[in-house]
Amino acid sequence: MPILQAFGPSAVRTSVPPPAPGGDAIRRHGIVPMPSLEWSEQVARETAELYARIAKVVPPLEWPFFAPYVKAINALKRERNAVILAHNYQTPEIYNCVADFVGDSLQLAREASRVDADIVVQCGVHFMAETSKILNPDKTVLIPDRRAGCSLAASITGADVRLLREKFPGVPVVAYVNTSAEVKAEVDICCTSSNAIAVVESLGADRVIFLPDQYLASYVAQHTDVKIIAWKGACEVHERFTAEELRRYREGDPALQIIAHPECPPDVLAEADYTGSTAGMIDWVRKHRPSRVVMVTECSMADNVQAELPEIEFVRPCNLCPHMKRITLPKILDSLVYLKEEVVIDPVIADKARRSVERMVNLKS
């Protein structure tokens, strides 16, 4: 079913959220001394097993810098009763060496809803940290860099959603999880790329407003009879891929497998052998074990999968997310030591947003 209508952002907006009130986390948990960050033979021994996980993708020259941070973060997590949630786009030393839970947005949302910890450190972008806070209102939720925004989340506001509801009264609204808390508070249900089709069809409506990703909306429209009214947002990473570059890869190796994320433009998806969420792409590689593959998504995910499956050759069209790359080991450690930056959401907005997020998390698909 083609998209019925598309609407665009009403203004240019920053993807950087406003600063949150400070001091609450410090009052609750206190500051601890900064651990030693010196490289030594002892640190090498204590982190050797972790380095073995990423030796295929992280050069030995870099490990003496990473290892003291890895050791300190893992020790401080236990002291703080903290857990680290890391998105599939995080770099290998974070994803493989300090994260307690890894996954796509849906997996992390589900983990956030059931973690048993005092502190949640979200290694992803700001909307993910907000989602963790929405699902854990009584926990301290930290993001190592508040400037880790998202072009999709920045493309729409709660006011935009209210205007869409006025224009299309009675039409249910689905928000991709890549949205702010204020947007989630205005919609009926959230979705991720892995369950977007199931979410749209669960509403039992003939028309649905889908926001903010126009390309995911197009993908959903092609796989359902529901008429989609789309918002014209886009991911600044995925919209850079082109069908022409993928065809060039195939010219050099016709057996090359191409798998793509549905945030990519339709002509890119038309070139792919498989389209799916980041979790779906990882599962596809695990199942099919291609000799050579292109993962058409953020570049670090290929490193993380290759660390697990070193026998597979990954061809990397290396589009990096500048926001995800704001999260680093030094910032994670600072966040745990000084309890910054804490995610704070207006309780009224959080309560309204929780309904749409929990409806997504609890959906059986």
Side-chain angles (χ1 to χ4, degrees), residues 117-135:
D118 296 322
I119 298 172
V120 176
V121 182
Q122 182 72 57
C123 293
V125 293
H126 193 265
F127 76 78
M128 297 177 184
E130 280 192 332
T131 303
S132 291
K133 183 63 178 179
I134 288 166
L135 293 170

Side-chain angles (χ1 to χ4, degrees), residues 282-356:
I282 293 171
D283 288 343
W284 187 94
V285 174
R286 286 171 176 159
K287 178 181 178 180
H288 293 276
R289 303 294 177 102
S291 58
R292 298 182 78 235
V293 64
V294 178
M295 301 183 83
V296 187
T297 190
E298 211 275 351
C299 190
S300 288
M301 196 168 86
D303 290 336
N304 292 327
V305 182
Q306 186 161 48
E308 176 187 343
L309 302 170
E311 73 277 10
I312 296 175
E313 180 183 352
F314 288 84
V315 180
R316 290 175 173 80
C318 203
N319 287 350
L320 294 173
C321 174
H323 308 292
M324 286 284 184
K325 294 303 171 280
R326 289 187 182 277
I327 308 301
T328 63
L329 289 175
K331 290 178 183 177
I332 295 170
L333 182 60
D334 276 357
S335 187
L336 281 168
V337 170
Y338 301 111
L339 299 169
K340 61 178 189 182
E341 308 271 350
E342 184 174 8
V343 176
V344 179
I345 305 172
D346 182 293
V348 175
I349 292 176
D351 285 344
K352 292 177 66 179
R354 191 171 300 114
R355 291 193 293 270
S356 64

Side-chain angles (χ1 to χ4, degrees), residues 39-55 63 67-68 70-71 74 97:
W39 169 251
S40 65
E41 290 186 5
Q42 181 179 352
V43 171
R45 287 193 301 272
E46 291 180 0
T47 60
E49 185 176 347
L50 292 172
Y51 180 62
R53 297 180 186 177
I54 60 174
W63 188 241
V70 167
K71 180 177 182 294
N74 286 330
C97 299

Side-chain angles (χ1 to χ4, degrees), residues 9 13-15 125 127 148-156 178 212-213 231-239 263 321 323:
R13 306 182 185 94
T14 177
S15 62
V125 293
F127 76 78
C150 171
S151 59
L152 280 168
S155 73
I156 191 165
N178 300 40
D213 191 315
W231 187 256
K232 295 183 71 173
C235 168
E236 63 187 279
V237 174
H238 291 97
E239 71 176 344
E263 288 178 21
C321 174
H323 308 292

Side-chain angles (χ1 to χ4, degrees), residues 89-306:
Y89 294 159
Q90 289 299 299
T91 51
E93 69 277 4
I94 295 172
Y95 181 94
N96 293 278
C97 299
V98 300
D100 298 289
F101 302 100
V102 297
D104 64 6
S105 296
L106 181 59
Q107 290 169 312
L108 294 183
R110 285 177 170 154
E111 293 297 344
S113 71
R114 56 191 179 222
V115 293
D116 181 18
D118 296 322
I119 298 172
V120 176
V121 182
Q122 182 72 57
C123 293
V125 293
H126 193 265
F127 76 78
M128 297 177 184
E130 280 192 332
T131 303
S132 291
K133 183 63 178 179
I134 288 166
L135 293 170
N136 293 276
D138 298 325
K139 296 184 187 300
T140 298
V141 176
L142 308 173
I143 183 167
D145 192 325
R146 292 189 61 80
R147 298 172 299 166
C150 171
S151 59
L152 280 168
S155 73
I156 191 165
T157 67
D160 293 322
V161 181
R162 292 190 290 273
L163 288 172
L164 285 169
R165 285 200 183 275
E166 290 179 12
K167 186 172 181 65
F168 301 100
V171 178
V173 183
V174 176
Y176 195 22
V177 75
N178 300 40
T179 47
S180 66
E182 69 156 349
V183 168
K184 291 180 174 72
E186 298 291 340
V187 306
D188 297 292
I189 187 170
C190 293
C191 75
T192 69
S193 54
S194 62
N195 69 358
I197 297 168
V199 165
V200 166
E201 293 185 340
S202 75
L203 297 171
D206 60 351
R207 291 192 304 169
V208 167
I209 298 168
F210 190 98
L211 53 89
D213 191 315
Q214 61 181 308
Y215 298 127
L216 181 57
S218 173
Y219 177 78
V220 171
Q222 292 173 27
H223 292 82
T224 181
D225 292 330
V226 180
K227 298 180 178 67
I228 301 296
I229 301 166
W231 187 256
K232 295 183 71 173
C235 168
E236 63 187 279
V237 174
H238 291 97
E239 71 176 344
R240 292 204 301 268
F241 292 103
T242 67
E244 181 181 359
E245 70 175 306
L246 299 186
R247 287 193 291 269
R248 287 200 300 268
Y249 288 125
R250 284 207 199 272
E251 288 173 2
D253 180 3
L256 179 72
Q257 297 293 291
I258 296 175
I259 60 177
H261 194 280
E263 288 178 21
C264 295
D267 61 336
V268 171
L269 300 186
E271 298 292 331
D273 299 294
Y274 169 81
T275 297
S277 67
T278 57
M281 295 168 76
I282 293 171
D283 288 343
W284 187 94
V285 174
R286 286 171 176 159
K287 178 181 178 180
H288 293 276
R289 303 294 177 102
S291 58
R292 298 182 78 235
V293 64
V294 178
M295 301 183 83
V296 187
T297 190
E298 211 275 351
C299 190
S300 288
M301 196 168 86
D303 290 336
N304 292 327
V305 182
Q306 186 161 48

